[in-house]
Amino acid sequence: MSNTLLPKPLLFLYALNGATLSLPSLALTAIVNDRAAIPVELLSAYGAVAFLPFSLKPLYGYLSILARRYFATHIFLAFLLFLSGVATCATAFVPKHGVALCFIIAFL
């Protein structure tokens, strides 16, 4: 059986990403309410789309283990963490009434 523990730098990056999600989520809530002005009837769908990546985390872990067979590093997890950072930065570019962009960013 092989050692499936993540390297310490990747663990630190993963923990840092989780710890810093509170501030971007506060900013995203303000963008959803004020700038994008998502209609009330779409807020439940927005919440479902935003939670979907968290529901898929076990799948991400499994795919990361599979990707490790072909790459020496955890490139899949690093890519997902990079994509999360890009999505966080993308919230600054949500235009007024940009409902569709908010849904895309919420999924990422």
Side-chain angles (χ1 to χ4, degrees):
M1 188 166 152
S2 66
N3 187 3
T4 58
L5 292 176
L6 296 175
K8 297 242 186 253
L10 192 58
L11 284 174
F12 176 74
L13 184 61
Y14 193 72
L16 185 63
N17 186 22
T20 59
L21 282 178
S22 60
L23 292 176
S25 66
L26 179 64
L28 186 59
T29 302
I31 288 171
V32 164
N33 292 333
D34 300 333
R35 193 184 311 169
I38 294 180
V40 175
E41 59 269 10
L42 291 178
L43 282 178
S44 60
Y46 174 79
V49 168
F51 188 73
L52 190 59
F54 294 102
S55 300
L56 297 175
K57 275 191 174 184
L59 179 63
Y60 296 156
Y62 179 71
L63 290 175
S64 175
I65 291 170
L66 286 179
R68 187 123 193 244
R69 291 181 183 173
Y70 303 105
F71 303 104
T73 61
H74 289 279
I75 194 75
F76 187 71
L77 275 179
F79 172 73
L80 290 175
L81 289 172
F82 173 75
L83 192 61
S84 174
V86 168
T88 301
C89 293
T91 58
F93 301 106
V94 173
K96 197 157 187 71
H97 303 293
V99 175
L101 188 57
C102 272
F103 271 82
I104 292 168
I105 291 172
F107 179 73
L108 294 178

